[in-house]
């Protein structure tokens, strides 16, 4: 015979037994009592968790795989098993990428959006569940624009490069690079934390670029800017042509600027300091100068070529004029000549210079008109041949240059 009974307030550790009472024909006057064996009850509590599922990274990006760990199952201890599943967004936003029965599960992020991860766990055979929603962040494209000011500079002047990041994050880093014709290398004096690079060491044709490293959690990687090429015009150099000295109080002395750099747009601005005065051409390539009484002057052409200015200078000495004296003598020593005799005149010159030139002239019979005796010559003597009575009264002179 089978008897059944139910009791729903059993606690862990309670003991159960059955007592059977009844009468039988063998004992018509009393009641028989029979005690069953004792069974000790084990009751496992319902498992629970007090926290959410824990991701390996707070921000999760499309295309990456992350691990997720369940919170502690309480009460502690016992035998715990897991059964992971994605209960929202499965296959569209995320998908499980490992065994679903492991303590830690791997999940691949498929697209931006949200999904819910669920762990249907058991502890000592008793079921429990924990679910946590998560977000997936799209990859942010990283790029960087580059501007330079000014785009054309003079040699030695500053050029300022400014980077403008897109999706650079709160603290991007910058890799400034320069190419001088030998390939890309780190830009001297640049800072990885600065969006600006300033340099005065560029030469014409140098190229500059910047690489941006974003600190956004989900970014596309390093962004490289377009290349900027700066035009660097040289400072004009050259020399002043026109001699190292001029005569005192002279005029019409000309000096010309000889600029080494060819081509381009060139302008001139002459100045003078010292014993001299500019008399013309102050804004042309050739300037006119009047010399002073003594000393020297410094002549400067502030040449501007393609917007870049350089000073071309020359120091010019003033040569003080010494009086030229000529002592003219004749071979007859002032004596009368005989008909047919020759006479030689000699010019003894003082301060005539190293190579003076002589222009001999004659004034026939005191007529008052001087005639050249041939062309200028370097000879300081002149001979009149075969003198006649008609030559009486003729005058001789010489002009020394």
């Amino acid at each position: 015979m089978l008897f059944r009974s139910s009791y729903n307030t059993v606690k862990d550790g309670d003991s159960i037994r059955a007592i059977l009472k009844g009468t039988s024909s063998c004992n018509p006057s009393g009641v028989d009592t029979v005690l069953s064996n004792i069974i000790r009850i084990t009751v496992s509590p319902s498992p629970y968790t007090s926290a959410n599922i824990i991701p390996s990274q707070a921000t999760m990006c499309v295309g990456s795989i992350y691990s997720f760990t369940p919170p502690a199952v309480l009460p502690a201890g016992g035998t715990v098993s897991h059964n992971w599943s994605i209960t929202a967004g499965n296959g569209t936003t995320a998908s499980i990428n490992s065994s679903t029965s492991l303590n830690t599960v791997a999940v691949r992020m498929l697209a931006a959006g949200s999904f819910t991860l669920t762990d249907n766990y058991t502890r000592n055979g008793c079921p429990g569940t924990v679910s946590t929603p998560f977000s997936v962040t799209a990859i942010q494209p990283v790029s960087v624009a580059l501007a330079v000011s000014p785009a054309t500079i003079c040699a030695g002047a500053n050029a300022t490069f400014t980077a403008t990041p897109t999706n650079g994050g709160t603290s991007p880093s910058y890799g400034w690079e320069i190419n001088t014709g030998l390939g890309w290398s780190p830009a001297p004096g640049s800072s990885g934390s600065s969006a600006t690079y300033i340099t005065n060491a560029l030469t014409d044709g140098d190229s500059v670029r910047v690489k941006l490293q974003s600190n956004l959690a989900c970014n596309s990687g390093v962004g490289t800017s377009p290349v900027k090429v700066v035009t660097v015009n040289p400072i004009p150099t050259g020399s002043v042509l026109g001699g190292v000295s001029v005569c005192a109080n002279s005029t019409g002395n000309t000096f010309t600027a000889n600029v080494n750099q060819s081509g381009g747009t060139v302008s001139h601005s002459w100045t003078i300091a010292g014993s001299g005065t500019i008399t013309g051409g102050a804004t042309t390539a050739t300037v006119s100068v009047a010399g002073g009484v003594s000393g020297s002057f410094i002549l400067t052409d502030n040449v501007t070529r393609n917007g870049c200015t350089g000073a071309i200078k020359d120091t010019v000495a003033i040569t003080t004029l010494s009086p030229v004296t000529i002592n003219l003598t004749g071979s007859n020593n002032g004596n009368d000549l005989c008909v047919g005799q020759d006479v030689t005149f000699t010019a003894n010159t003082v301060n005539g210079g190293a190579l003076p030139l002589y222009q001999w002239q004659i004034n026939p019979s005191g007529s008052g008109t001087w005639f050249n005796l041939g062309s200028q010559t370097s000879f300081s003597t002149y001979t009149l041949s075969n003198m006649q009575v008609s030559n009486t009264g003729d005058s001789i002179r010489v002009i020394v240059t």
Side-chain angles (χ1 to χ4, degrees):
M1 184 177 293
L2 179 63
F3 295 93
R4 293 182 178 177
S5 179
S6 63
Y7 186 65
N8 61 3
T9 59
V10 177
K11 301 184 296 299
D12 187 42
D14 288 355
S15 297
I16 298 294
R17 71 179 181 182
I19 302 174
L20 179 62
K21 294 181 178 183
T23 59
S24 69
S25 58
C26 295
N27 187 13
S29 62
V31 177
D32 290 327
T33 300
V34 180
L35 298 177
S36 72
N37 60 305
I38 298 174
I39 297 176
R40 186 174 181 82
I41 304 297
T42 298
V43 179
S44 293
S46 297
Y48 67 96
T49 58
S50 60
N52 290 322
I53 297 171
I54 305 166
S56 59
Q57 187 167 308
T59 301
M60 290 168 283
C61 308
V62 171
S64 297
I65 298 174
Y66 303 93
S67 60
F68 295 80
T69 303
V73 176
L74 302 174
T79 300
V80 178
S81 64
H82 302 273
N83 182 20
W84 294 94
S85 63
I86 294 176
T87 54
N90 184 37
T92 56
T93 304
S95 63
I96 292 178
N97 202 65
S98 66
S99 171
T100 58
S101 62
L102 298 176
N103 181 62
T104 298
V105 68
V107 177
R108 181 186 295 276
M109 306 300 131
L110 302 177
S114 60
F115 68 95
T116 300
L117 184 61
T118 299
D119 181 16
N120 293 300
Y121 59 86
T122 62
R123 177 185 178 277
N124 294 341
C126 298
T129 185
V130 58
S131 295
T132 303
F134 295 99
S135 296
V136 180
T137 302
I139 298 297
Q140 304 300 308
V142 175
S143 63
V144 58
L146 183 60
V148 60
S149 179
T152 300
I153 63 172
C154 300
N158 283 337
T160 300
F161 297 85
T162 303
T164 303
T166 298
N167 294 321
T170 58
S171 182
S173 61
Y174 301 88
W176 293 97
E177 296 181 337
I178 187 170
N179 187 346
T180 60
L182 301 176
W184 292 101
S185 60
S190 61
S191 171
S193 61
S194 177
T196 301
Y197 173 54
I198 301 174
T199 179
N200 63 355
L202 295 175
T203 58
D204 192 40
D206 286 353
S207 302
V208 174
R209 71 183 182 186
V210 64
K211 292 184 175 180
L212 173 70
Q213 179 63 64
S214 171
N215 72 332
L216 282 179
C218 298
N219 67 75
S220 60
V222 175
T224 302
S225 74
V227 173
K228 291 295 181 181
V229 180
V230 177
T231 299
V232 182
N233 290 318
I235 301 298
T237 58
S239 58
V240 176
L241 305 179
V244 296
S245 65
V246 297
C247 295
N249 297 315
S250 61
T251 60
N253 304 295
T254 59
F255 298 87
T256 301
N258 180 36
V259 181
N260 292 334
Q261 293 76 21
S262 61
T265 301
V266 180
S267 62
H268 302 268
S269 178
W270 293 91
T271 60
I272 194 169
S275 184
T277 305
I278 292 176
T279 58
T283 58
T284 65
T286 299
V287 66
S288 296
V289 175
V293 175
S294 63
S296 64
F297 58 84
I298 298 174
L299 193 58
T300 302
D301 184 11
N302 294 297
V303 180
T304 299
R305 177 184 177 272
N306 292 343
C308 301
T309 301
I312 300 175
K313 297 184 178 184
D314 189 24
T315 300
V316 180
I318 301 293
T319 300
T320 302
L321 297 176
S322 300
V324 179
T325 61
I326 306 169
N327 182 28
L328 186 62
T329 61
S331 60
N332 62 335
N333 295 317
N335 298 320
D336 292 341
L337 298 172
C338 297
V339 172
Q341 191 175 359
D342 296 340
V343 62
T344 299
F345 299 91
T346 301
N348 299 295
T349 305
V350 178
N351 295 324
L355 296 172
L357 295 176
Y358 302 88
Q359 179 62 64
W360 294 92
Q361 293 182 332
I362 190 169
N363 181 3
S365 302
S367 65
T369 302
W370 292 94
F371 298 94
N372 289 335
L373 294 171
S375 301
Q376 267 189 338
T377 178
S378 60
F379 296 107
S380 61
T381 61
Y382 191 84
T383 299
L384 293 175
S385 301
N386 192 22
M387 298 299 294
Q388 300 297 318
V389 174
S390 61
N391 293 123
T392 302
D394 289 356
S395 298
I396 294 293
R397 73 177 182 184
V398 65
I399 300 173
V400 177
T401 303

